[in-house]
């Protein structure tokens, strides 16, 4: 109950190199990240499969996801219906031991526009630290391509700090929030999972 992450956002979080870290400037972040006043249910894992559903009292945001996680493989599909439009996400993650590979894709209609985006990433662990890199592309207005590189450091099982360097490959937005092609953004953050 409450202001919960949408199932589709959790799919993207499980299958992108930066996970649920905020401000990673990836093109695969869904429109509906959270839903206020929502009721969420996530099933127990049965043979590696988990189902999650979400709805709110106004029926303006509904969604579901199906995730398979067993051994080194995670595969997930998520759907979200919101007042802005419908979105689908599909993603894969595979842990090689020495590195973890990620592939995530988001598609759907936002307003009257068809949006699709794809992200590929890798995370390489070194003790409590991980070097992380990803690149994404989109056909939506705004950032068309973004390349991210940085490091995550685990302070505990649920808390990490991260540094992220992002290079935008295409001019985004207009006015005060415009980013020129090739502009660089540096982000330092803390993430805690409750």
């Amino acid at each position: 109950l409450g202001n919960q992450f949408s199932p589709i956002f959790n799919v993207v979080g499980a299958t992108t190199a930066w996970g649920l870290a905020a401000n990673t400037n990836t093109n695969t972040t869904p429109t509906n990240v959270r839903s206020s006043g929502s009721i969420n249910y996530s099933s127990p894992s049965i043979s590696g499969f988990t189902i999650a559903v979400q709805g709110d009292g106004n029926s303006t945001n509904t969604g579901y996801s199906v995730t398979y996680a067993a051994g080194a493989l995670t595969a997930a599909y998520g759907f979200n219906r919101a007042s802005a439009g419908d979105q689908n996400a599909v993603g894969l993650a595979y842990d090689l031991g020495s590195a973890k590979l990620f592939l995530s894709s988001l598609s759907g209609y936002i307003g009257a526009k068809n949006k699709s985006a794809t992200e590929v990433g890798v995370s390489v662990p070194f003790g409590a630290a991980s070097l992380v890199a990803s690149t994404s592309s989109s056909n939506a207005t705004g950032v068309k391509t973004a390349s991210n590189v940085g490091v995550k450091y685990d302070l505990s099982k649920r808390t990490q700090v991260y540094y992220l360097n992002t290079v935008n490959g295409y001019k985004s937005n207009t006015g005060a929030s415009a980013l020129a092609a090739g502009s660089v953004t540096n982000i330092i953050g803390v993430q805690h999972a409750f």
Side-chain angles (χ1 to χ4, degrees):
L1 295 172
N3 189 15
Q4 301 291 322
F5 284 129
S6 63
I8 194 171
F9 184 66
N10 288 329
V11 165
V12 172
T15 59
T16 55
W18 289 97
L20 298 177
N23 299 317
T24 55
N25 201 20
T26 59
N27 285 310
T28 53
T29 301
T31 302
N32 184 37
V33 172
R34 291 182 183 268
S35 184
S36 297
S38 65
I39 298 172
N40 286 25
Y41 172 76
S42 183
S43 73
S45 178
I46 301 171
S47 298
F49 287 94
T50 304
I51 297 171
V53 294
Q54 179 183 68
D56 66 14
N58 300 320
S59 298
T60 55
N61 289 302
T62 58
Y64 65 87
S65 66
V66 178
T67 302
Y68 175 78
L73 177 67
T74 299
Y77 169 79
F79 171 81
N80 190 76
R81 173 161 287 155
S83 54
D86 295 349
Q87 285 187 300
N88 298 281
V90 63
L92 296 169
Y94 192 81
D95 193 342
L96 299 170
S98 59
K100 192 168 184 180
L101 307 176
F102 300 88
L103 174 63
S104 185
S105 179
L106 181 75
S107 64
Y109 282 90
I110 306 305
K113 296 182 179 179
N114 186 8
K115 176 184 177 182
S116 64
T118 302
E119 180 175 346
V120 177
V122 63
S123 177
V124 181
F126 293 96
S130 295
L131 296 178
V132 183
S134 66
T135 185
S136 61
S137 63
S138 172
N139 70 348
T141 304
V143 177
K144 300 286 189 181
T145 61
S147 297
N148 303 299
V149 65
V151 63
K152 293 181 186 179
Y153 186 83
D154 293 330
L155 299 174
S156 69
K157 285 189 174 191
R158 299 187 312 154
T159 306
Q160 64 182 205
V161 293
Y162 60 91
Y163 165 75
L164 169 69
N165 174 277
T166 299
V167 177
N168 295 309
Y170 186 86
K171 182 181 184 301
S172 68
N173 302 325
T174 58
S177 64
L179 295 171
S183 66
V184 176
T185 305
N186 292 292
I187 300 168
I188 297 173
V190 178
Q191 178 178 318
H192 180 76
F194 292 94

